């Protein structure tokens, strides 16, 4: 390996240690319990979590990747370069309902950009306890910002010396959160400096190793051999990997000479600029201590403990019995690996909640039959247990208690397949669980892609109803103080018709939930009838949830979820449904703005596009415009034919973007070009004047344009081009070429831009084609391929003679746009202008 390649490799090796240290500093600075850092990746627009401290990575896999366009705080911070402070769950739900829906737990969070010089590398984030007021978090934010600035400077130096070294494309490195002080469970430590071979061991570790400094070889090989009685090789590999800047993601289980299980935590220390790094390690007693260990062993309940990376660090005999594993099989392993039947999204979501929230979590789990401890429960039946999880500063204490009932699928009622699937996540006594709570992130992402009210409703029906076992859905939208039915499914035909258009003074739960801003949950139809005497009911049995749809404090409407059977709603389910209601409201509000803006843009564009093109006895033109079918549907493409002295000006242009702003800018540019053309300015003057006008207007947009001044008598054309696709010229014999007109930059960028003029000859019966890029751009292909396809089509086109003998280009225009007209999805709008010249003496059409 060359010296430069070796140094580059060392830079990459030092990155994990640098990031881990920064995350630990940030967690301390912000008084958090967990933290992480996202870095840019090799995929444009995608951030990846590089380090996660204090939380098990497996449980937070949905947040490993973050696209910068998604409405999440990490994306906003990276894209905008501004800090985000979320004091508690309420603030998170208000500003980022997608995040609140995916993690509906009580915690606060801080997000700070990591920037070096002018480069944005990623985002540093810390999770912390909820705060009552933002002012108490501001000092923490300032300290965390200083950590982010220091990290940004270090990454900038690394990136300058080895361009491209700062990035992340792997799974995150999961490490323990920094402790506030020496852990009570640390039973010995050491430091190894591979640069000079020094190995320093404290007195407690000497005792555990069963040796003295004089009898110890002082090498990492000797240390690994003493610490691991069974096989020292994995430990020796871990020591060397840590020295290279790659410490293990989780503590390593080892058995010392007394045969006791210990966990070995390794990390890099010291101030070395690159590998090899100094390695520090501590042995941790996985139990709560000898006295507490003996006491917990005598408890009648099953008790076990997890560290914050999800490793089982203690289990009493009764817990081992209930979990169906020996203590040796449990200790030192992640919960979901040691007990496979607990590896279910609904169960792990509760563990996630306990890691993020200070409140205890209680839920029910179903253990498989004793004769199949590894079997996943479900259709095979099993015993229900109540599991309680209590969060501590560095551990989670879990308690298991049998519910005293056995569920056997053989005696179960024959529900439908979907109902049986729902029942698999509920204990026999009907106590609700939150099996569906892992799905909200799916709904959140799907809603970001819905742009119309119908699409929003379809997403809710597809994702929300199955997740919670619902069968009926109704969405009402508020307009002029009345509630109008926008979507329904599952209700009896015509049942909801009497409720369409009711006023806000009507005594109905769908109205009250909006006016009060509180969700309403009824576990049975009897509860609903008692709360609203005389209300019409659509079924004898079932539960109902009425959710207010409020976006940024503005009432949008209400959402009704219907269930076929009576059921309770747990606290977690109520929290998630309330958060999802805010998410749905934001999507519907966005859809409403989309509909209004699209209608306005369509009307504006229709008014601005030419209804009649200027004519000349010797010239025939044909224009076509096709709006896009995605997004806002309308854009800034335009074409025009304008009288210019004794000739004609042929114009085509394309304003960047879509919507009202693009259409308005298009109208302003079209008017400017027409004004310049009517005064018969030269093509370069028209382009330069329009360019300066767009810069003065400063709409935040740019535009491409091609302007051709044609003399119909001589056929001489003078053309100027501003960043626009090259025109096509079809000669009278059918030969078609892509013109090579020199041009300037797009309009609206450089006030001093120069636009050269090219002269060309348009012979009688020849066809000049001007077009926008929407006609030649295809996803996944080069634009040159689209231009070549258009050229070939124009060459094959039959330019027929009109009734009076003149050439007609309408059929050619239809042929060139036929494929685009038939496409169900057009990402961009399309404009086309064809021009042909008749010989003197030929009649008009």
């Amino acid at each position: 390996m060359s010296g430069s390649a070796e140094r580059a490799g060392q830079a990459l090796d030092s990155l994990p240690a640098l990031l881990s240290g920064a995350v630990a500093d940030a967690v301390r600075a912000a008084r958090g319990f967990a933290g992480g850092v996202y870095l840019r990746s090799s995929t444009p627009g995608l951030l990846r979590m590089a380090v996660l401290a204090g939380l098990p990575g497996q449980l937070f896999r949905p947040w490993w990747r973050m696209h910068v366009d998604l409405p999440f705080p990490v994306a906003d911070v990276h894209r905008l370069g501004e800090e985000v402070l979320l004091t508690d769950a309420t603030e998170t739900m208000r500003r980022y309902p997608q995040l609140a829906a995916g993690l509906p737990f009580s915690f606060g969070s801080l997000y700070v950009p990591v920037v070096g010089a002018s480069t944005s590398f990623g985002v540093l984030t810390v999770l912390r306890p909820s705060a009552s007021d933002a002012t108490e978090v501001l000092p923490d934010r300032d300290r965390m910002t200083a950590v982010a600035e220091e990290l940004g400077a270090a990454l900038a130096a690394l990136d300058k010396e080895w361009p491209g070294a700062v990035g992340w494309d792997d799974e995150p490195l999961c490490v323990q959160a920094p402790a506030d002080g020496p852990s009570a469970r640390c039973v010995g430590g050491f430091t190894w400096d591979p640069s000079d071979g020094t190995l320093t061991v404290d007195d407690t570790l000497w005792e555990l190793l069963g040796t003295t400094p004089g009898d110890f070889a002082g090498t990492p090989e000797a240390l690994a051999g003493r610490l691991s009685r069974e096989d020292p090789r994995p430990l020796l590999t871990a020591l060397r990997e840590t020295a290279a800047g790659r410490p293990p993601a989780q503590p390593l289980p080892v058995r010392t000479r007394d045969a006791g299980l210990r966990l070995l935590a390794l990390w890099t220390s010291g101030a070395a600029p690159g590998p090899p790094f100094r390695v520090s390690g501590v042995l941790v007693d996985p139990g709560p201590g000898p006295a507490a260990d003996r006491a917990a062993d005598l408890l009648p309940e099953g008790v076990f403990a997890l560290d914050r990376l999800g490793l089982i660090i203690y289990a009493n005999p009764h817990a081992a019995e209930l979990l169906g594993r020996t203590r040796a099989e449990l200790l030192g392993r992640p919960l979901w690996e040691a007990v496979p039947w607990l590896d279910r999204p609904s169960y792990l979501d509760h563990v996630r909640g306990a890691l993020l929230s200070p409140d205890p979590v209680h839920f029910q789990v179903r253990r498989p039959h004793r004769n199949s401890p590894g079997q996943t429960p479900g259709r095979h039946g099993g015993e229900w247990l109540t599991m309680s999880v209590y969060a501590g500063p560095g551990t989670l204490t879990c308690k298991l208690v049998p519910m005293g009932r056995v569920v056997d699928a053989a005696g179960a009622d024959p529900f439908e397949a979907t109902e049986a699937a729902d029942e698999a996540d509920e204990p026999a006594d009907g106590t609700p669980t939150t099996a569906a709570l892992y799905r909200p992130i799916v709904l959140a992402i799907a809603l970001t892609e819905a742009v119309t009210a119908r699409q929003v409703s379809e997403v809710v029906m597809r994702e929300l109803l199955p997740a919670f076992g619902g069968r009926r859905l109704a969405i009402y939208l508020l307009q002029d103080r009345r509630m109008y039915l926008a979507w329904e499914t599952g209700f009896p035909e015509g049942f909801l018709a009497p409720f369409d258009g009711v006023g806000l003074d009507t005594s109905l739960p769908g109205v009250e939930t909006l006016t009060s801003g509180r969700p309403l949950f009824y576990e049975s139809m009897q509860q609903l009838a008692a709360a609203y005497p005389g209300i019409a009911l659509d079924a004898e049995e079932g539960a109902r949830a009425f959710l207010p749809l409020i976006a940024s404090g503005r009432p949008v409407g209400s959402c009704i979820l219907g269930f076929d059977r009576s059921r309770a709603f747990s606290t977690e389910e109520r929290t998630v449904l309330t958060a999802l209601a805010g998410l749905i409201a934001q999507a519907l509000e966005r859809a409403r703005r989309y509909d209004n803006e699209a209608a306005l843009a369509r009307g504006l564009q229709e008014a601005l596009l030419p209804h009649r093109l200027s004519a000349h006895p010797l010239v025939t033109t044909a224009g076509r415009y096709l709006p896009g079918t995605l997004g806002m549907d309308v854009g800034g493409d335009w074409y025009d034919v304008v009288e210019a002295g004794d000739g004609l000006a042929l114009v085509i242009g394309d304003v960047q973007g879509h919507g009202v702003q693009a259409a308005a800018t298009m109208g302003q540019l079209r008017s400017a070009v027409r004004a310049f053309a009517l005064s018969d300015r030269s093509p370069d003057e028209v382009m330069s004047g329009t360019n300066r006008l767009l810069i003065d207007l400063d709409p935040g947009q740019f535009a491409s344009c091609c302007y051709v001044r044609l003399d119909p008598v001589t056929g001489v054309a003078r053309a100027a081009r501003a960043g626009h696709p090259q025109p096509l010229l079809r000669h009278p014999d059918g030969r078609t070429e892509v013109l090579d007109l020199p041009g300037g930059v797009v309009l609206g960028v450089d006030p001093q831009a120069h636009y050269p003029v090219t002269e060309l000859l348009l012979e009688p019966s020849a066809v000049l084609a001007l077009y926008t890029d929407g006609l030649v751009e295809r996803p996944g292909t080069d634009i040159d391929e689209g231009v070549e396809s258009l050229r070939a089509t124009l060459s094959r086109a039959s330019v027929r003679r009109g009734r009076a003998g003149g050439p007609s280009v309408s059929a050619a225009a239809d042929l060139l746009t036929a494929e685009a007209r038939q496409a169900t999805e057009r990402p961009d709008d399309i404009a086309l202008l064809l021009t042909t010249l008749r010989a003197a003496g030929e009649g008009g059409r």
Side-chain angles (χ1 to χ4, degrees):
M1 179 183 293
S2 68
S4 59
E6 184 176 357
R7 289 193 300 272
Q10 291 175 348
L12 292 174
D13 289 341
S14 67
L15 186 59
L18 177 63
L19 297 175
S20 300
V23 171
D25 291 342
V27 172
R28 293 190 190 95
R31 295 181 295 170
F33 55 79
V37 61
Y38 285 84
L39 283 188
R40 63 191 185 183
S41 70
S42 59
T43 302
L46 184 69
L47 300 177
R48 286 184 177 269
M49 182 182 287
V51 173
L52 178 62
L55 294 172
Q58 181 67 24
L59 297 192
F60 293 85
R61 181 178 290 271
W63 292 270
W64 286 7
R65 297 153 49 98
M66 183 65 61
H67 198 279
V68 297
D69 290 333
L70 290 178
F72 284 83
V74 168
D76 282 355
V77 170
H78 182 72
R79 190 177 64 254
L80 304 176
E82 300 176 355
E83 302 162 350
V84 168
L85 188 163
L86 303 175
T87 55
D88 54 18
T90 302
E91 178 74 2
T92 303
M93 189 183 304
R94 184 181 68 83
R95 295 180 58 185
Y96 294 97
Q98 291 89 338
L99 177 61
L103 295 171
F105 312 115
S106 178
F107 66 94
S109 50
L110 282 165
Y111 308 84
V112 177
V114 177
V115 180
S118 60
T119 302
S120 180
F121 293 109
V123 176
L124 196 60
T125 176
V126 167
L127 307 185
R128 46 166 290 127
S130 299
S132 57
D133 192 279
T135 55
E136 69 178 82
V137 188
L138 294 180
D140 301 337
R141 183 203 61 186
D142 294 341
R143 290 191 296 270
M144 181 176 165
T145 300
V147 174
E149 291 174 350
E150 184 177 349
L151 175 61
L155 293 179
L158 197 63
D159 193 56
K160 182 178 180 181
E161 188 167 0
W162 295 284
V166 179
W168 200 269
D169 287 301
D170 299 322
E171 293 185 356
L173 176 66
C174 298
V175 298
Q176 293 283 2
D180 293 333
S183 171
R185 295 188 291 114
C186 293
V187 294
F190 67 90
T191 300
W192 169 49
D193 191 343
S195 61
D196 58 13
T198 304
L199 183 64
T200 305
V201 179
D202 66 22
D203 293 339
T204 306
L205 188 57
W206 284 128
E207 183 179 348
L208 282 173
L209 295 178
T211 186
T212 62
D215 297 329
F216 185 64
T219 64
E221 290 81 4
L223 178 66
R226 289 281 186 171
L227 284 177
S228 182
R229 298 186 314 121
E230 298 168 348
D231 185 0
R233 289 173 298 180
L235 178 54
L236 184 60
T237 299
L239 288 170
R240 291 169 175 167
E241 286 288 297
T242 304
R246 295 183 294 271
Q250 298 175 340
L252 305 174
V254 298
R255 291 193 178 276
T256 54
R257 68 181 182 88
D258 61 357
L261 176 72
R262 301 289 187 269
L263 297 179
L264 177 63
L266 298 174
W267 67 94
T268 59
S269 58
F277 296 99
R278 192 169 63 193
V279 177
S280 292
V282 295
L283 275 185
V284 177
D285 184 350
D293 194 321
R294 288 192 297 272
D297 282 354
L298 300 177
L299 291 175
E301 301 94 351
V303 176
F304 64 96
L306 311 173
D307 71 5
R308 295 197 65 86
L309 293 186
L311 296 179
I312 302 175
I313 58 175
Y314 168 77
N316 72 359
H318 197 42
E321 179 185 359
L322 290 174
L323 293 174
R325 292 288 186 270
T326 66
R327 296 172 82 174
E329 291 173 324
L330 293 173
L331 296 180
R333 297 180 62 190
L335 175 64
W336 41 92
E337 291 182 8
V339 190
W341 54 266
L342 282 178
D343 187 10
R344 305 188 67 191
S346 56
Y347 301 163
L348 297 183
D349 191 77
H350 288 291
V351 179
R352 248 195 310 268
L355 286 162
L356 298 178
S357 174
D359 301 323
V361 175
H362 310 279
F363 57 103
Q364 285 73 42
V365 298
R366 183 159 55 185
R367 183 187 63 182
H369 286 307
R370 300 296 181 97
N371 59 359
S372 53
Q375 186 179 55
T376 299
R379 298 172 59 188
H380 303 284
E383 181 183 5
W384 282 103
L385 310 173
T386 296
M387 183 167 172
S388 301
V389 185
Y390 304 87
T395 60
L396 299 180
T397 301
C398 308
K399 183 173 70 173
L400 285 172
V401 178
M403 292 182 64
R405 301 186 62 175
V406 176
V407 179
D408 194 327
D413 293 331
F415 295 116
E416 295 178 5
T418 54
E419 291 175 333
D422 293 338
E423 286 296 296
D425 291 315
E426 294 186 8
D429 64 354
T431 305
T433 65
T434 51
L437 296 192
Y438 76 101
R439 293 180 58 91
I441 190 66
V442 179
L443 175 67
I445 294 174
L447 281 175
T448 61
E449 300 172 355
V451 295
T452 67
R454 181 180 182 86
Q455 289 173 342
V456 171
S457 302
E458 288 175 343
V459 167
V460 175
M461 181 183 68
R462 184 177 68 246
E463 299 292 346
L464 184 62
L465 284 186
F468 288 86
R471 298 288 186 270
R472 307 180 187 196
L473 169 70
I475 293 179
Y476 285 84
L477 297 181
L478 178 65
Q479 183 176 354
D480 299 329
R481 295 187 58 79
R482 291 189 173 274
M483 303 284 286
Y484 292 95
L485 183 63
W487 180 273
E488 67 165 305
T489 183
F491 287 92
E493 184 177 357
F495 172 77
L496 295 177
F499 305 107
D500 193 16
V502 298
L504 293 183
D505 56 351
T506 308
S507 179
L508 289 171
V511 174
E512 183 181 340
T513 190
L514 180 62
T515 55
S516 67
R518 294 182 295 105
L520 304 175
F521 298 94
Y522 298 97
E523 299 179 1
S524 67
M525 299 304 283
Q526 291 74 22
Q527 280 190 5
L528 178 58
Y532 292 88
I535 188 173
L537 302 178
D538 59 300
E540 294 182 1
E541 294 294 333
R544 295 289 181 269
F546 298 85
L547 308 175
L549 302 179
I550 300 174
S552 303
R554 294 188 302 275
V556 175
S558 60
C559 176
I560 304 172
L561 300 180
F563 304 84
D564 287 346
R565 292 180 297 146
S566 299
R567 57 158 294 172
F569 296 92
S570 68
T571 301
E572 291 89 349
E573 285 177 315
R574 294 175 186 236
T575 301
V576 169
L577 286 171
T578 303
L580 291 179
L583 186 64
I584 295 167
Q586 284 196 349
L588 287 170
E589 184 71 2
R590 186 175 65 247
R592 178 181 291 178
R593 289 197 302 268
Y594 165 85
D595 290 337
N596 293 339
E597 186 173 347
L600 176 61
R602 281 192 294 268
L604 179 61
Q605 189 176 49
E606 185 178 349
L608 294 175
L609 284 172
H611 297 280
R612 185 182 63 83
L613 300 177
S614 297
H616 189 280
L618 297 179
V619 179
T620 301
T621 58
R624 297 290 185 270
Y625 174 78
L626 299 176
T629 59
L630 302 178
M632 193 53 66
D633 290 348
V634 293
D637 291 20
W638 90 95
Y639 62 88
D640 208 351
V641 179
V642 188
E643 293 182 7
D646 56 357
L648 288 179
L650 313 172
V651 188
I652 197 160
D654 182 1
V655 177
Q656 168 222 13
H658 295 82
V660 172
Q661 182 62 54
T665 302
M666 177 269 284
Q668 291 171 313
L669 293 184
R670 177 173 177 257
S671 298
V673 173
R674 286 183 67 87
F676 287 126
L678 288 170
S679 61
D680 203 13
R681 301 283 187 89
S682 64
D684 57 326
E685 290 179 313
V686 174
M687 289 290 93
S688 297
T690 307
N691 176 51
R692 288 191 295 270
L693 172 67
L694 184 57
I695 291 174
D696 291 341
L697 291 173
D698 192 22
Q701 295 172 304
F702 57 83
S704 66
C705 186
C706 185
Y707 181 93
V708 180
R709 202 279 188 187
L710 174 65
D711 184 341
V713 176
T714 64
V716 173
R718 303 179 69 240
R721 192 174 61 88
H724 201 80
Q726 294 282 3
L728 302 179
L729 180 60
R730 183 185 190 273
H731 296 278
D733 59 2
R735 179 174 52 88
T736 305
E737 63 176 314
V738 181
L739 297 179
D740 185 15
L741 306 182
V745 298
V746 292
L747 306 174
V749 175
D750 179 8
Q752 306 301 322
H754 174 64
Y755 300 96
V757 177
T758 303
E759 189 171 289
L760 55 104
L761 179 65
L762 186 64
E763 301 176 84
S765 298
V767 178
L768 179 68
L770 307 179
Y771 54 92
T772 56
D773 55 10
L775 186 60
V776 292
E777 282 187 329
R778 297 177 178 84
T781 63
D782 190 84
I783 191 173
D784 291 339
E785 296 180 23
V787 173
E788 172 57 27
S789 176
L790 185 69
R791 184 203 65 78
T793 303
L794 180 59
S795 179
R796 295 192 304 268
S798 174
V799 183
R800 299 178 289 105
R801 296 280 177 173
R803 287 178 298 174
S808 169
V809 289
S810 291
D814 290 337
L815 178 63
L816 294 179
T817 56
E819 182 180 349
R821 284 199 310 273
Q822 295 168 5
T824 56
E825 292 186 355
R826 287 191 297 273
D828 200 0
D829 46 349
I830 293 169
L832 171 70
L833 178 62
L834 300 184
T835 304
T836 188
L837 191 65
R838 292 191 297 271
E842 287 186 337
R845 285 193 296 179

